[in-house]
Amino acid sequence: MTRFFLAVAALAVVVAVVLCFVTQPFVGNAPPWKGPHADPARLEETVRALVALGPRNDEAGQARAAAFIQDRLKTFGYVPVIQHYKLTPDELAATRRPNEPDLTGDFINVLAYVGSSPPPLDVIGAHYDARRAYPGADDNASGVAALLELARMLKQHPPRHAVQLAFYSNEERGLVGSARAPKDGVRQMISLEMLGCFGEPQKFPAPGMSVLYPDVRNGIVVVGRLRDFALVRQVKAALRGSRAQAASIDAPEAIPGIGNSDHNSYWRAGIHAVMVTDTAWYRNPRYHTPRDTPDTLDYRRMAVITDGIAALTDAN
């Protein structure tokens, strides 16, 4: 009997250690962002402006969005770097989607650099395309709006190390834009993927996760692999230090959704990367539908999250 209880106790310790590794419940708060704060009104204006451009699922729509991003960056004092690429025959075949126009032309990623330190380089990125002809307010005008607001904030309060702000094309067609993005000298990457949906019923990819994440529906989630433990912890602490309600998960890529954004392209290049997300289809009932509109987003919470990402650049 004593051996039985010892075995049960040992198993309980192992389970507790694993769960702590996955959820990181004891992360503290990093120092809050000391620069200018994100403005909810500006975030909303940017999301509405992007949606007003029309569909962002073909060459013309993505070109309109890329031009908008470049113009906004220039108003902040940046000189955008334009990375052109043309899809290969294999990519043309791989990017075909039902009820979507075929892609045939040239595409661009828009890059902006801030901070004067030499490499290693930290990348913060978001994709500006959308699924089908849907508005794509949460997916992913919300991430682009946060990244543009971050560009404004960092210009006034530069980061400690060099940061690349990356706006990717064709995420919805297989992460093509981020796969083509430069990787040399990159230390780590943060993908801003859907930041505006809160308060909806939360679904989970595996049984029992609701016990581990009881109030996640009102918070943002930092997602990484097991090997991204340290970066997940750092991003989570920065978000919490700026008063964001942040949870996290370090898990194998086999869990559905773990790698479903541009951070995956950096994983493939051997770079530590995480996704900051409202959990997409696990929470947002309007995901990839015509109902993903600007009126459904919480811009106050988005501003707090943007402050947290900015704080991360102060700590590095």
Side-chain angles (χ1 to χ4, degrees):
M1 187 63 70
T2 300
R3 288 182 178 179
F4 172 77
F5 282 119
L6 287 174
V8 170
L11 178 61
V13 169
V14 170
V15 170
V17 169
V18 170
L19 292 181
C20 284
F21 195 92
V22 169
T23 64
Q24 300 208 39
F26 304 117
V27 174
N29 296 347
W33 170 239
K34 298 179 177 65
H37 292 288
D39 182 354
R42 291 180 66 95
L43 289 166
E44 181 173 4
E45 183 275 327
T46 301
V47 168
R48 292 187 180 278
L50 281 164
V51 171
L53 294 174
R56 307 190 302 280
N57 64 326
D58 58 9
E59 288 99 323
Q62 292 192 54
R64 289 192 298 269
F68 171 87
I69 291 165
Q70 292 175 67
D71 288 343
R72 189 62 62 89
L73 288 170
K74 290 174 184 176
T75 67
F76 300 148
Y78 290 88
V79 179
V81 176
I82 309 305
Q83 182 200 8
H84 293 268
Y85 68 91
K86 190 173 181 65
L87 297 175
T88 67
D90 287 345
E91 287 173 332
L92 286 171
T95 57
R96 291 195 175 98
R97 299 286 187 274
N99 302 312
E100 293 268 33
D102 286 347
L103 303 179
T104 59
D106 295 317
F107 294 91
I108 66 172
N109 295 323
V110 181
L111 311 175
Y113 294 84
V114 61
S116 58
S117 300
L121 185 71
D122 293 343
V123 176
I124 307 173
H127 72 89
Y128 61 80
D129 63 317
R131 177 63 63 93
R132 297 189 183 177
Y134 300 146
D138 197 23
D139 185 18
N140 186 36
S142 65
V144 174
L147 195 56
L148 283 170
E149 186 68 347
L150 189 63
R152 179 186 69 83
M153 296 156 65
L154 293 181
K155 201 66 173 178
Q156 298 177 52
H157 185 87
R160 293 188 177 185
H161 294 277
V163 172
Q164 179 196 88
L165 307 175
F167 301 82
Y168 307 113
S169 51
N170 287 319
E171 186 267 359
E172 298 287 358
R173 300 296 187 102
L175 314 180
V176 179
S178 56
R180 293 292 193 90
K183 309 294 191 306
D184 290 346
V186 174
R187 174 177 63 163
Q188 57 192 26
M189 186 270 184
I190 296 96
S191 175
L192 306 182
E193 175 65 62
M194 303 183 64
L195 306 179
C197 178
F198 300 91
E200 298 284 354
Q202 183 75 43
K203 301 173 184 177
F204 295 94
M209 290 185 69
S210 59
V211 177
L212 301 177
Y213 300 97
D215 195 31
V216 71
R217 59 185 279 179
N218 288 310
I220 200 73
V221 181
V222 186
V223 178
R225 304 163 298 177
L226 300 175
R227 72 188 72 174
D228 300 311
F229 181 89
L231 181 56
V232 167
R233 188 176 186 84
Q234 187 178 26
V235 176
K236 185 177 182 179
L239 288 165
R240 287 188 168 186
S242 291
R243 297 176 291 104
Q245 184 177 326
S248 65
I249 180 169
D250 291 90
E253 294 179 53
I255 292 182
I258 291 291
N260 281 27
S261 192
D262 294 302
H263 59 297
N264 195 310
S265 296
Y266 291 79
W267 288 352
R268 306 282 75 79
I271 296 167
H272 288 292
V274 301
M275 172 173 58
V276 179
T277 180
D278 61 21
T279 75
W281 68 89
Y282 290 121
R283 179 187 305 171
N284 191 337
R286 299 166 291 275
Y287 174 76
H288 286 178
T289 75
R291 297 180 293 119
D292 183 10
T293 59
D295 292 332
T296 64
L297 305 189
D298 186 328
Y299 298 99
R300 182 189 62 81
R301 281 192 171 98
M302 281 175 57
V304 173
I305 292 163
T306 306
D307 282 353
I309 299 299
L312 181 68
T313 71
D314 249 353
N316 285 339

